[in-house]
Amino acid sequence: MNILEAPENKEAVIVEIKKSDNPFLRKIEAMGLKRGEKIKVLSKVGRNIVVQVEGRKLAIDKELAKEIEIE
Amino acid sequence: MKEITVALIGNPNVGKTTLLNYIAGTELKVGNWPGVTVEKKEATIEYKGYKVHIVDLPGVYTLEPLSDAELVATKFLEEEDIDVILDVIDTQNFEKNFYLTTQLLEFEKPTVVVLNIYDEAERKGIKVDIPFLEEILNVKVIKAVARKGIGLDRVLDLIIETYEKKITPRIKYEQKIEDAIKELEKTLGTKLTKHEAINILLGKKKTNNEEEVKKLREELEKFFGESLEEIIKDERFGFAHGVTKEVLKKEKEQKYDITEILDTFLLHPYIGLGLYLVIMFLIFKIAFDFSAPFMDWLDGFLTGFVSPFIVVLLNSVGASEIIVNFFTEAVIGGVGFVVTFVPLIATLFFLINFLEMSGYLPRIAVLMDRFMEKLGLHGSMVIPLMLGFGCNVPAIMATRVIEDRRDKFIVTMMIPFMTCPARLIVFAFFASVFFDNPVIVIMGLYTLGIVVGLITAYFLKRTTFKGKITHFAMELPPYRLPTLKAILSVVWIHTKGFLYRAGTIIFAISIIVWGLLNLPPGIKDQSESFAAKIGKTIVPIFEPLGIEDWRASASLIPAFLAREIALSSLGTMYYAEMEKEIEMEEFKPVNELKNQGLSLLTAVKDAFLSVFSFKIAAFDVAEDEFVTLRNVIKQHFTPLSALSYMILLLIYTSCVATVAVMIQEIGKKYALLFLAYSFVAAWILAFTVYNVGKLFV
Ligand SMILES: Nc1nc2c(ncn2[C@@H]2O[C@H](COP(=O)(O)OP(=O)(O)OP(=O)(O)O)[C@@H](O)[C@H]2O)c(=O)[nH]1
Ligand SMILES: [Mg+2]
């Protein structure tokens, strides 16, 4: 499933970033949302989704979130 | 003297600018959100016989720029002649930051790594083995708390040492890649840095032997079974991960985190929105209530002490009437009048800076996204808009972080409608003179500005600037309680700037206005002066808005330089009239000074007490017995025409600095078009409000 479908406050692991030719997704990877990373969805506010990764808290839009597969 | 150029680079919001401010004594803008620095800023330090140029760059996550600000950083790295790289890392985020560090190491330039924000990392139980890190990478590493200046005394020494000894980093990737690079160097017959080699292999940089490059690339892709882009990315992530595992220990898990607790409420879709409104209201309330007693005191001090004192003094040395008039009208009436608003400006900057340093701005971006979506914009664009309440100029600069040119354009055109402190002091004056409930009026004007901004954006997005929304990704930094010292120093920078303007441009304008008011020589009445002539010429434009007095229309001309000049010019012109109406009372300087001292104490007490009451009490004060400027101005405006005057100054971009920065950022054509638009919009709004209002009073 992708991050958008993840339940809030449950840990999950990123397995794949789709469409990595999108420069925005590459930026997000550099920010910390990349394969193998443990994440937790903190909240969904409107178009945004707030995600906790080790040491960082990120807000990304849902369109981007759809491209991030977790498990 | 030897010169060293240092690139100060790192992820956003890691304390690069804080570090530079500390070691170079600069006063560059710092704030707790990613994207504070949007241009390159250089500071030069002379140290031990070297001239060290440190260039502060906008923060980046990768070397692949998406916004103008990011482009500044990557371009500087690629194109300038850099001697040393000063890489700042947020230690609590070591591995994530190290992805960029890895790419910086590829440049194989002398590098100094600063493990900053070490205080917060330590609180999370993070420890870095610095000697080992230095050994693996062959770079110099220091730990630091830039905010407190801890650990920074060695930075310059290390920069010089790495530079002199040419200590260049060691970075090793998968053997297969290393081999390919060697092969490439052989074919091209030159030594390459890892950065250059990778760029050639990726096709970002062309050579005269593309055949061979392509072959090498294909070989690698076949071996790893992925595209070279993926391979390189994985290598870099892998390297960052490997280094982190070697040098970083995390000893304890933090039990609770203040950021988590605060965000539970502040980022909550509904509670958060409510709290946002409460916070905005509080800022408003404190700004007014805390500053009002001081402003009243300053006002009284000026009219009750400084002005008569100067008159007495000048009379005693036998100065002519014209000199006396000059001092009371141009200096006290013009400059002094504007200076009485310093408490309001200082308090407002204190609060705005507190907000900027707290880490709350990115949360506002997330919360406001719902509403920005309706305009086809993104929540993050709220940040430049919020900055607009501090000053429109840096706010427009801040749009450089917006990736999409179209969106940048639209946000730039919204910012001038955000009420800045210069406009606020005009509002504060007029609203308190003409309305029983000045705070409501001022809040109404703020809202009107925002609404006009929103309508403008809506209109632009529907017509010229159609297009789909770009993506959004933003780091939410931890909340940080700023130190009082840091905030006060920023408040001082702004207050100093304001006073400086008062002493230079506002003073100069006051002299000119005063001159025009008293010329041609020998006039008996102001209404025969040049100023009156000029004012009367443009009165027809403003008459439909209820602004009939020539002084009021004349004041709008110099106001184009800066909006507070509207007030100083009015002050100069009306002060002249005022004096002829009042007789100087008997004045005893010593007694008066004592009175002023006592009333200052009362003002301090009032200021602190008023902050703790629930309602906004500012401007509730009863009229004093003096004939002040307020009373004089009151005779020349009606509440409605005052409102109309304020709307004009709110909407019309009458600030030359804002227009200049717009020209720089979006081009002359659009900036001037916008100026015309803002004038027309201002006129129509003022006209409507005035004429509709007239039906009711
Ligand atoms: N706790 C702590 N906070 C720090 C330290 N250094 C800087 N900060 C805070 O980190 C925030 C960001 O500081 P800046 O200097 O603006 O960061 P920057 O790297 O220049 O950011 P950009 O210009 O946006 O790339 C501010 O709120 C600083 O007060 C530190 O050593 N410890
Ligand atoms: Mg900065």
Side-chain angles (χ1 to χ4, degrees):
Chain A
M1 73 188 149
N2 65 41
I3 289 198
L4 213 50
E5 298 153 348
E8 286 179 24
N9 289 313
K10 278 249 163 58
E11 282 215 341
V13 176
I14 297 179
V15 287
E16 196 199 346
I17 310 280
K18 293 190 282 190
K19 283 204 200 152
S20 68
D21 55 330
N22 178 338
F24 262 97
L25 282 164
R26 284 202 294 271
K27 180 171 171 184
I28 282 188
E29 284 189 276
M31 290 168 100
L33 293 180
K34 60 170 202 289
R35 195 162 57 200
E37 204 71 41
K38 257 200 231 136
I39 60 127
K40 200 160 81 178
V41 172
L42 294 177
S43 62
K44 296 169 190 171
V45 190
R47 260 185 309 180
N48 295 318
I49 174 164
V50 181
V51 182
Q52 177 89 51
V53 260
E54 168 78 37
R56 243 184 203 163
K57 192 179 230 174
L58 303 170
I60 61 172
D61 72 84
K62 289 182 173 169
E63 292 300 312
L64 288 173
K66 266 193 223 149
E67 309 296 334
I68 304 174
E69 284 290 313
I70 54 165
E71 181 158 88
Chain B
M1 203 182 277
K2 271 195 197 167
E3 310 217 358
I4 307 178
T5 303
V6 182
L8 178 55
I9 191 158
N11 278 184
N13 209 42
V14 295
K16 299 178 292 298
T17 308
T18 311
L19 180 147
L20 185 62
N21 281 347
Y22 186 84
I23 57 174
T26 43
E27 291 175 340
L28 299 172
K29 191 172 171 66
V30 164
N32 192 15
W33 79 90
V36 180
T37 305
V38 291
E39 323 165 79
K40 60 171 192 239
K41 292 269 183 181
E42 184 180 311
T44 303
I45 310 165
E46 291 191 15
Y47 185 74
K48 294 192 178 165
Y50 291 87
K51 231 185 188 159
V52 187
H53 304 278
I54 304 186
V55 183
D56 186 19
L57 296 166
V60 289
Y61 292 101
T62 63
L63 295 184
E64 188 182 18
L66 289 172
S67 69
D68 287 354
E70 288 167 347
L71 184 67
V72 169
T74 52
K75 219 173 142 178
F76 187 81
L77 269 184
E78 299 282 355
E79 292 172 9
E80 297 296 316
D81 202 6
I82 298 163
D83 299 308
V84 178
I85 291 177
L86 183 58
D87 173 31
V88 184
I89 283 180
D90 174 356
T91 315
Q92 60 191 321
N93 249 316
F94 186 91
E95 185 177 336
K96 307 280 179 315
N97 279 246
F98 211 84
Y99 179 63
L100 178 71
T101 302
T102 306
Q103 295 180 61
L104 296 175
L105 296 175
E106 288 173 6
F107 281 82
E108 296 176 27
K109 287 235 160 85
T111 302
V112 177
V113 176
V114 180
L115 299 180
N116 195 32
I117 318 193
Y118 210 85
D119 51 341
E120 287 179 13
E122 244 168 3
R123 237 173 288 144
K124 290 187 176 169
I126 292 170
K127 278 224 162 63
V128 181
D129 183 345
I130 290 177
F132 193 33
L133 183 59
E134 287 187 325
E135 194 189 312
I136 338 183
L137 302 177
N138 198 34
V139 298
K140 292 291 173 195
V141 182
I142 47 171
K143 61 176 183 186
V145 184
R147 194 153 86 136
K148 300 201 177 104
I150 298 172
L152 296 179
D153 36 342
R154 279 172 61 228
V155 175
L156 289 173
D157 286 316
L158 292 178
I159 287 172
I160 294 170
E161 188 187 337
T162 46
Y163 170 73
E164 282 301 345
K165 295 191 187 156
K166 298 263 170 297
I167 306 176
T168 51
R170 199 163 34 226
I171 174 167
K172 202 166 177 304
Y173 289 145
E174 188 83 21
Q175 197 52 46
K176 209 65 194 162
I177 299 173
E178 295 291 335
D179 291 345
I181 293 176
K182 285 230 176 62
E183 196 60 38
L184 184 66
E185 285 180 338
K186 222 163 45 198
T187 350
L188 298 177
T190 134
K191 179 101 188 68
L192 295 168
T193 66
K194 201 149 261 148
H195 174 75
E196 289 166 331
I198 288 175
N199 271 353
I200 291 173
L201 287 172
L202 286 175
K204 285 186 188 163
K205 209 169 146 190
K206 293 283 172 258
T207 63
N208 48 22
N209 198 342
E210 283 299 303
E211 283 290 283
E212 187 63 23
V213 172
K214 199 169 157 231
K215 214 185 90 210
L216 282 169
R217 180 189 169 118
E218 277 166 0
E219 260 171 36
L220 282 172
E221 291 185 335
K222 209 167 119 218
F223 181 84
F224 288 97
E226 305 181 279
S227 71
L228 189 61
E229 280 79 9
E230 288 294 312
I231 301 170
I232 298 294
K233 197 172 73 190
D234 288 347
E235 274 306 309
R236 288 171 176 161
F237 277 129
F239 187 80
H241 185 67
V243 170
T244 309
K245 246 177 58 190
E246 294 282 344
V247 302
L248 187 131
K249 297 253 157 349
K250 192 162 178 182
E251 276 158 7
K252 58 167 195 238
E253 275 301 320
Q254 206 173 20
K255 287 214 191 61
Y256 74 95
D257 183 12
I258 187 75
T259 297
E260 285 322 301
I261 298 168
L262 283 175
D263 270 348
T264 313
F265 301 104
L266 293 176
L267 263 187
H268 188 279
Y270 305 109
I271 303 173
L273 215 53
L275 288 174
Y276 169 72
L277 293 176
V278 170
I279 291 169
M280 289 301 121
F281 176 79
L282 280 178
I283 288 181
F284 230 75
K285 178 189 149 50
I286 297 174
F288 284 120
D289 281 355
F290 188 80
S291 61
F294 292 106
M295 293 199 294
D296 286 340
W297 176 79
L298 261 177
D299 195 30
F301 183 68
L302 216 63
T303 36
F305 181 76
V306 181
S307 176
F309 185 73
I310 288 180
V311 173
V312 169
L313 200 71
L314 289 172
N315 282 338
S316 71
V317 297
S320 66
E321 197 196 328
I322 190 105
I323 302 276
V324 175
N325 281 351
F326 171 76
F327 271 95
T328 49
E329 292 165 15
V331 182
I332 308 272
V335 178
F337 186 29
V338 169
V339 169
T340 47
F341 291 93
V342 161
L344 180 58
I345 301 257
T347 316
L348 192 64
F349 273 118
F350 183 96
L351 298 166
I352 289 177
N353 192 245
F354 184 88
L355 206 64
E356 290 179 6
M357 294 294 282
S358 67
Y360 186 53
L361 286 190
R363 272 76 183 182
I364 301 180
V366 175
L367 284 173
M368 289 293 123
D369 184 60
R370 270 168 286 182
F371 308 107
M372 294 296 272
E373 182 185 8
K374 305 257 180 330
L375 295 172
L377 294 175
H378 220 290
S380 60
M381 295 160 197
V382 165
I383 293 182
L385 293 176
M386 292 289 301
L387 296 177
F389 293 124
C391 177
N392 290 176
V393 175
I396 289 173
M397 293 297 290
T399 61
R400 289 188 173 188
V401 300
I402 298 174
E403 290 89 356
D404 187 85
R405 289 215 60 83
R406 217 176 30 228
D407 292 349
K408 175 192 154 95
F409 211 94
I410 293 175
V411 177
T412 304
M413 298 214 164
M414 293 172 81
I415 290 170
F417 298 116
M418 304 298 126
T419 303
C420 59
R423 265 170 277 184
L424 175 62
I425 63 176
V426 182
F427 299 168
F429 176 77
F430 275 95
S432 67
V433 169
F434 291 100
F435 295 92
D436 297 333
N437 219 329
V439 175
I440 301 290
V441 174
I442 295 173
M443 281 191 179
L445 288 165
Y446 268 80
T447 314
L448 178 67
I450 296 170
V451 170
V452 173
L454 294 177
I455 293 172
T456 307
Y458 185 83
F459 174 71
L460 288 172
K461 200 76 191 182
R462 295 298 122 151
T463 55
T464 337
F465 296 97
K466 284 200 196 112
K468 74 180 222 316
I469 311 153
T470 48
H471 292 302
F472 169 71
M474 183 190 263
E475 194 178 337
L476 302 177
Y479 290 102
R480 295 188 169 118
L481 191 64
T483 58
L484 193 61
K485 197 174 141 229
I487 298 195
L488 287 179
S489 84
V490 173
V491 169
W492 174 234
I493 292 169
H494 285 290
T495 311
K496 206 169 59 185
F498 183 73
L499 288 173
Y500 178 79
R501 272 214 311 281
T504 51
I505 174 164
I506 296 181
F507 185 46
I509 298 291
S510 298
I511 293 175
I512 294 172
V513 170
W514 186 81
L516 289 174
L517 206 58
N518 287 286
L519 288 174
I523 47 165
K524 287 189 285 304
D525 195 84
Q526 278 183 16
S527 61
E528 296 162 18
S529 68
F530 287 146
K533 284 216 183 74
I534 299 170
K536 282 173 188 163
T537 322
I538 56 167
V539 158
I541 307 175
F542 300 107
E543 217 164 11
L545 317 179
I547 303 167
E548 287 152 2
D549 190 23
W550 59 264
R551 298 179 193 83
S553 55
S555 73
L556 289 167
I557 299 174
F560 182 63
L561 293 172
R563 276 179 251 222
E564 65 267 37
I565 293 181
L567 216 50
S568 65
S569 305
L570 280 179
T572 303
M573 290 188 276
Y574 285 118
Y575 217 93
E577 180 171 326
M578 174 175 128
E579 278 175 334
K580 283 163 195 116
E581 288 170 3
I582 49 164
E583 279 300 310
M584 193 58 67
E585 294 155 49
E586 199 152 318
F587 178 70
K588 299 197 193 69
V590 183
N591 276 353
E592 187 55 37
L593 196 60
K594 215 160 72 189
N595 284 341
Q596 293 294 343
L598 286 176
S599 62
L600 177 59
L601 287 181
T602 323
V604 174
K605 193 191 83 195
D606 287 350
F608 282 97
L609 283 181
S610 64
V611 171
F612 295 102
S613 75
F614 285 111
K615 71 182 213 354
I616 299 185
F619 313 128
D620 279 0
V621 276
E623 279 298 315
D624 36 344
E625 64 278 19
F626 282 113
V627 182
T628 58
L629 208 51
R630 287 167 197 254
N631 303 13
V632 178
I633 289 184
K634 213 166 179 169
Q635 293 162 12
H636 294 279
F637 283 86
T638 63
L640 257 184
S641 64
L643 192 61
S644 163
Y645 187 83
M646 288 191 277
I647 291 175
L648 209 56
L649 276 181
L650 165 69
I651 306 297
Y652 172 41
T653 314
S654 55
C655 166
V656 73
T658 304
V659 175
V661 75
M662 284 182 98
I663 290 176
Q664 174 195 313
E665 295 297 308
I666 60 173
K668 200 168 188 170
K669 184 177 138 208
Y670 288 109
L672 294 181
L673 264 176
F674 178 80
L675 187 63
Y677 162 73
S678 78
F679 184 79
V680 172
W683 196 94
I684 293 174
L685 265 172
F687 180 83
T688 314
V689 168
Y690 180 71
N691 286 291
V692 172
K694 244 181 10 192
L695 301 177
F696 292 93
V697 279

